[in-house]
């Protein structure tokens, strides 16, 4: 049995108290649901002398609507996937969140945690003994990337399912730190580096995720497709998040973001440009999907061969585009657990 190392758990009751702890103590980490941090600490991937829990802070949990939808960072994934407003206005987001792990973990994991979830790699996400036996990689305490030994950087891949969809919808992130509050686009939160993958400062806390009104179903159609070996539990080895804004029968704006094929979500700008001003016909969507495929740069650091994942990327983008456009999808559609209403709703 893997056991947690010794650490001090701090449970502040206010955001100011949490910020004070983060600013004053060294070797400190933030936790909400803990579905990523606790296993990582057990395997000694991540270390901390002090862990600051956000679950006792009022105001960080809940979903509020005032034009845009504001989702508190400690809102559970289950609450997000089953919330009527999220399901009705942002079906792609509801599907993305419903695809994360399994029901028990979605009952505990939070949206803020998934947005910040650690990058993953075959050579990193192993036991301590396994990693030590081949020598640590640079994401641990070593000096080499075992995926690309001649590279000077880490190629661990982005593992968040909510991030590509929030990016495609034009979501924003609210960060609070000692210097005050700042709001940034979702895409500005990520850096293409397997180790230093977030632009969030260590002393900052994600407090809210904002989804714009202009991305709701009365203006925008969204879809999310995810590839993994099993239909649940597994992390993505490829995901495709798409959002289409239509003016009559013409696409006025398009957003396509790939997940799990790089150290950060990857936008497909050239495919988006092709779609704008076009009708969402089968031929146009297929051409855009093949262009989007070029944005995928998967490495041999997760399940399935990298070359095959790159080839399938076009198929998954096409499937997501067809679903968003209201066209019939073929048998390649992943068997996502469709979001269902919580009991009593």
């Amino acid at each position: 049995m893997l056991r947690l190392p010794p650490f001090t758990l701090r449970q502040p009751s206010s955001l100011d108290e949490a910020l004070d702890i983060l600013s004053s103590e060294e070797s400190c980490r933030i936790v909400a649901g803990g579905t990523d941090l606790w296993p990582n600490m057990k395997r000694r991937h991540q270390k901390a002398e002090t862990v600051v829990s956000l679950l006792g802070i009022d105001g960080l949990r809940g979903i509020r609507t005032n034009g845009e939808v504001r989702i508190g960072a400690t809102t559970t994934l289950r609450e997000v996937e089953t919330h009527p407003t999220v399901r009705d206005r942002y079906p792609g987001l509801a599907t993305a969140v419903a695809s994360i792990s399994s029901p028990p973990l979605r009952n505990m994991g939070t949206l803020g945690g998934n947005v910040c979830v650690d990058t993953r790699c075959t050579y990193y996400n192993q036991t301590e003994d396994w990693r030590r036996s081949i020598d640590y990689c640079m994401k641990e305490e070593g000096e080499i990337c075992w995926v690309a030994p001649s590279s000077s950087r880490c190629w661990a891949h982005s593992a968040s399912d909510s991030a590509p969809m929030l990016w495609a919808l034009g979501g924003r992130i609210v960060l609070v730190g000692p210097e005050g509050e700042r709001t940034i686009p979702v895409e500005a939160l990520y850096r293409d580096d397997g180790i230093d993958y977030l632009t969030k400062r260590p002393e900052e806390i994600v407090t809210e995720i904002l989804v714009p009104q202009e991305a709701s179903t009365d203006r925008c159609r969204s879809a999310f497709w995810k590839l993994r070996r099993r239909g649940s539990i597994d992390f993505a080895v490829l995901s495709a998040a798409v959002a289409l804004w239509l003016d009559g029968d013409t696409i006025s704006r398009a957003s396509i973001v790939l997940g799990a094929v790089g150290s950060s979500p990857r936008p497909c700008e050239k495919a988006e440009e092709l779609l704008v001003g076009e009708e969402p016909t089968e031929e146009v969507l297929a051409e855009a999907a093949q262009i989007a495929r070029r944005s995928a740069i998967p490495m041999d650091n997760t399940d399935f061969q990298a070359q095959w994942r790159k080839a399938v990327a076009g198929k998954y983008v096409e499937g997501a585009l067809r679903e968003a456009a209201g066209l019939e999808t073929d048998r390649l559609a992943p068997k996502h657990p469709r979001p269902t209403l919580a009991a009593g709703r």
Side-chain angles (χ1 to χ4, degrees), residues 12 14-31 50 52 54 57 60 116 174-182 189 191 196 198-207:
S14 70
L15 193 56
D16 287 341
E17 184 183 354
L19 292 172
D20 286 342
I21 297 171
L22 291 174
S23 299
S24 61
E25 298 192 19
E26 297 181 358
S27 186
C28 200
R29 288 189 180 274
I30 299 169
V31 71
T50 301
V52 183
L54 303 180
I57 301 176
L60 292 187
C116 297
V174 180
L175 296 159
V176 177
E179 299 177 359
E181 178 180 295
R182 63 187 180 113
L189 180 66
R191 186 181 286 117
D196 192 17
L198 293 179
T199 61
K200 181 184 81 68
R201 304 177 190 118
E203 68 276 11
E204 285 185 315
I205 296 173
V206 173
T207 59

Side-chain angles (χ1 to χ4, degrees), residues 27-319:
S27 186
C28 200
R29 288 189 180 274
I30 299 169
V31 71
T35 57
D36 190 54
L37 179 63
W38 299 142
N40 282 347
M41 288 184 66
K42 285 182 177 181
R43 291 190 296 262
R44 306 309 190 259
H45 292 140
Q46 296 174 326
K47 300 176 177 64
E49 295 179 7
T50 301
V51 176
V52 183
S53 173
L54 303 180
L55 295 184
I57 301 176
D58 291 337
L60 292 187
R61 181 170 181 170
I63 300 175
R64 295 168 289 280
T65 304
N66 182 16
E68 65 184 354
V69 172
R70 308 178 71 96
I71 306 174
T74 62
T75 304
T76 67
L77 299 170
R78 176 63 175 165
E79 290 173 300
V80 176
E81 72 167 287
T82 59
H83 196 279
T85 299
V86 175
R87 291 183 52 192
D88 293 344
R89 293 178 57 176
Y90 313 107
L93 178 59
T95 300
V97 173
S99 76
I100 297 169
S101 192
S102 61
L105 269 70
R106 291 197 298 276
N107 285 335
M108 194 67 193
T110 65
L111 185 60
N114 189 256
V115 163
C116 297
V117 73
D118 194 16
T119 54
R120 297 184 62 80
C121 176
T122 299
Y123 294 93
Y124 173 69
N125 294 97
Q126 302 287 347
T127 64
E128 171 78 1
D129 290 341
W130 190 97
R131 300 196 312 279
R132 190 188 303 122
S133 70
I134 66 166
D135 198 4
Y136 295 119
C137 69
M138 65 170 61
K139 187 170 169 64
E140 183 74 27
E141 300 172 355
E143 299 179 353
I144 189 171
C145 174
W146 288 111
V147 178
S150 62
S151 176
S152 61
R153 56 157 289 184
C154 167
W155 290 92
H157 71 86
S158 174
S160 171
D161 291 316
S162 61
M165 196 69 250
L166 287 167
W167 184 326
L169 293 170
R172 292 174 293 150
I173 302 290
V174 180
L175 296 159
V176 177
E179 299 177 359
E181 178 180 295
R182 63 187 180 113
T183 302
I184 61 173
V186 167
E187 56 265 35
L189 180 66
Y190 299 101
R191 186 181 286 117
D192 189 19
D193 187 304
I195 298 172
D196 192 17
Y197 62 97
L198 293 179
T199 61
K200 181 184 81 68
R201 304 177 190 118
E203 68 276 11
E204 285 185 315
I205 296 173
V206 173
T207 59
E208 280 187 302
I209 296 91
L210 313 180
V211 193
Q213 184 176 7
E214 66 179 25
S216 61
T217 49
D218 59 337
R219 309 179 190 186
C220 172
R221 301 175 184 176
S222 60
F224 178 84
W225 280 34
K226 173 178 177 177
L227 173 66
R228 52 185 166 180
R229 186 171 292 273
R230 296 177 291 183
S232 63
I233 302 175
D234 291 343
F235 282 91
V237 296
L238 164 70
S239 64
V242 306
L244 301 176
W245 286 260
L246 295 177
D247 183 5
D249 294 331
T250 303
I251 300 171
S252 60
R253 177 182 165 193
S255 185
I256 304 171
V257 184
L258 299 177
V261 292
S263 296
S264 66
R266 291 192 177 275
C268 307
E269 290 100 341
K270 292 189 179 299
E272 296 166 356
E273 292 171 3
L274 176 101
L275 289 171
V276 175
E278 300 287 343
E279 293 186 13
T281 63
E282 293 185 354
E283 294 75 18
V284 168
L285 299 185
E287 183 180 356
Q290 288 309 304
I291 294 175
R293 173 178 174 267
R294 301 170 193 165
S295 298
I297 311 177
M299 304 292 286
D300 190 19
N301 58 1
T302 188
D303 200 8
F304 299 126
Q305 289 187 343
Q307 298 91 333
W308 184 78
R309 286 161 58 213
K310 184 175 180 67
V312 172
K315 293 295 184 181
Y316 266 54
V317 171
E318 183 177 357

